[in-house]
Amino acid sequence: MKSPMEIALFEARKAAAVGEVPIGAVIRDDVTDAILVSAHNKVEQLSDPTAHAEILAIREATSVLGTKVLSNCTIFVTLEPCAMCAQAISLAKLKRLIFGAYDPKGGGVEHGGRIFDRATCNYRPEVIGGWHETEASELLSSFFQQLREP
């Protein structure tokens, strides 16, 4: 059986295969250990700048559970979430965020906006970064390298 991060990495590869930035997300119910949803970026496919893997996964998980609060869930993401996604994670009250690669340029958790450290942030999940970091980083580097090649 694949771990949630392995599924998130699989989702990221699916995104890359269709020209999306390779980011995948999985939400697990921590009570049952069941994978509720998995998603990947669909920004290009949907022509929607908010169609990040995390946002799509949160939307689907709240629909599956019939609630706006995911307090018994963990989100696994292949890249440190941006500020928009970090705020959505906070608003959904996800119990835990586990991410792969750090994002010094666009991250909103450990870098940039540091959303969870702001006084205006009402909820901060437990954060674990660097989970499967090498594989997640290599997937992103490879994708962007291929874009730069003629």
Side-chain angles (χ1 to χ4, degrees), residues 17-142:
V18 295
E20 295 280 356
V21 175
I23 300 171
V26 167
I27 296 180
R28 178 189 69 199
D29 182 323
D30 292 337
V31 174
T32 64
D33 276 341
I35 302 297
L36 295 174
V37 299
S38 62
H40 61 268
N41 275 12
K42 292 187 177 178
V43 172
E44 302 300 327
Q45 179 184 343
L46 300 176
S47 296
D48 178 355
T50 69
H52 291 199
E54 301 94 323
I55 301 292
L56 298 174
I58 290 168
R59 287 177 184 161
E60 190 175 345
T62 57
S63 178
V64 165
L65 295 176
T67 180
K68 66 180 183 177
V69 177
L70 301 172
S71 58
N72 290 320
C73 297
T74 296
I75 187 166
F76 296 80
V77 187
T78 57
L79 181 66
E80 175 185 349
C82 69
M84 173 184 70
C85 293
Q87 189 63 53
I89 289 165
S90 176
L91 291 169
K93 294 184 174 26
L94 279 144
K95 178 179 173 181
R96 187 177 302 111
L97 160 65
I98 299 175
F99 67 86
Y102 289 86
D103 187 359
K105 183 177 176 184
V109 177
E110 302 289 337
H111 298 91
R114 296 182 184 261
I115 297 302
F116 303 140
D117 294 339
R118 300 282 177 209
T120 55
C121 183
N122 293 323
Y123 178 81
R124 185 189 199 295
E126 176 186 355
V127 177
I128 301 168
W131 201 261
H132 291 257
E133 180 179 7
T134 301
E135 189 174 355
S137 293
E138 287 174 356
L139 185 57
L140 286 157
S141 295
S142 173

